Amino acid sequence: MIQVDELAERLDSAARASREVTQIDPEGKMPLEDAYAIQRASIQRRISRGARRAGVKMGFTSRAKMVQMGIGDVIWGRLTDDMLIEEGMATSFARFVHPRAEPEIAFVLKKPLSGHVTAAEALASVEAVAPALEVIDSRYQDFKFTLPDVIADNASSSGFVVGPWCNPRDDFSNLGLTMSIDGRVVQVGSTAAILGHPLRSLVAAARLSEAAGEPLQAGWVVMAGGATPAEWLKPGQYISIEMERLSVAGFHMQA
Ligand code: OOG
Ligand code: MG
């Protein structure tokens, strides 16, 4: 029997204190349902301190991310309201252990969505889409983990930035995007890198969330997953995403 509460406490405390911890399952032998149970208990601690659930993040939905991190399975994590970095505003580097940023697309839902849904049903539940940035910050030393490790650690999630919301009726299946640091382009990609179409990530989120007993809710944000590899961040930088035909979003990493 694994100690779900003890491991959840360890990861939650590490995230709160911006401190790294050793891997909890370096051999990668833990059943994934145990890893998700640790994630759930760890986020529950945050919620009992007053944070509110804000949505879901999907991970490893692009080949670029799978290759960068050496993991080939789609995973998911829980977003809470305290993770939101206001677009154009600053967040403090001291909040993180060793942050990285990656360009994504975000959905906000206008109605609940759960179970096995078609892409058309998923689209019908979307209120708006926006270019987004995720700040990932593994709590593990050297940002190294196995699949159960990263699932238990809420899929490395730490912060998210969402740009101006745009009409989801405009085709967003293959939009060019760039991520820049201090105005210099560091990654170039397309929304099509996300499972061939970012809606497939929302379809997967609907299925996985329902299976976990926490179906997607109206008002929730779903982060579709990084379209390119992530970039290490340093204090003082301005990180931005520009997405063709949609809009731009950015934030300052304050020293
Ligand atoms: C795990 C989280 C993956 C994504 O967008 O693919 C992820 C990590 O890379 O540390 O957020
Ligand atoms: Mg991500």
Side-chain angles (χ1 to χ4, degrees), residues 11 19 25-26 32 36-37 49 54 85 89 96 118 162 168 170 174 178 181 191 205 228 235 255:
L11 288 164
R19 210 169 14 79
D25 185 29
L32 300 190
Y36 277 111
R49 287 192 299 269
I85 302 165
M89 305 303 275
F96 305 97
T118 63
V162 178
D170 297 337
N174 184 12
T178 56
I181 297 185
T191 56
T228 75

Side-chain angles (χ1 to χ4, degrees), residues 10-162:
R10 195 187 304 174
L11 288 164
D12 174 54
S13 304
R16 268 182 100 184
S18 317
R19 210 169 14 79
E20 53 182 28
V21 292
T22 53
Q23 287 177 245
I24 61 175
D25 185 29
E27 312 270 287
K29 293 207 172 110
M30 187 188 291
L32 300 190
E33 55 181 290
D34 290 354
Y36 277 111
I38 296 166
Q39 178 192 126
R40 179 192 195 125
S42 146
I43 300 307
Q44 197 48 51
R45 295 175 62 88
R46 203 187 290 171
I47 285 172
S48 53
R49 287 192 299 269
R52 295 179 55 174
R53 185 70 186 276
V56 164
K57 67 152 284 181
M58 300 299 289
F60 303 132
T61 51
S62 71
R63 217 182 130 60
K65 283 287 306 181
M66 290 180 186
V67 168
Q68 183 178 38
M69 305 314 288
I71 288 181
D73 299 75
V74 170
I75 62 172
W76 66 281
R78 294 165 167 92
L79 298 176
T80 51
D81 62 349
D82 52 340
M83 292 169 56
L84 180 70
I85 302 165
E86 287 293 335
E87 200 282 309
M89 305 303 275
T91 187
S92 161
F93 191 83
R95 267 185 53 193
F96 305 97
V97 182
H98 37 209
R100 288 170 147 172
E102 55 197 16
E104 306 209 0
I105 185 167
F107 302 100
V108 65
L109 302 186
K110 61 183 173 193
K111 37 187 191 194
L113 184 69
S114 72
H116 290 266
V117 297
T118 63
E121 286 163 343
L123 181 60
S125 75
V126 174
E127 169 83 31
V129 296
L133 291 163
E134 186 181 23
V135 182
I136 50 172
D137 188 33
S138 174
R139 269 53 68 167
Y140 301 113
Q141 263 162 21
D142 304 323
F143 223 113
K144 290 230 167 60
F145 44 68
T146 60
L147 179 60
D149 280 333
V150 66
I151 288 170
D153 186 29
N154 203 24
S156 304
S157 71
S158 193
F160 64 105
V161 182
V162 178

Side-chain angles (χ1 to χ4, degrees), residues 53 56 109 111-115 205-218 220:
R53 185 70 186 276
V56 164
L109 302 186
K111 37 187 191 194
L113 184 69
S114 72
R207 181 173 43 82
L208 295 166
S209 299
E210 187 196 47
E214 298 174 8
L216 301 178
Q217 302 295 312
W220 278 16

Side-chain angles (χ1 to χ4, degrees), residues 1-8 38:
M1 259 309 277
I2 59 144
Q3 302 299 314
V4 171
D5 290 338
E6 188 207 307
L7 294 171
I38 296 166

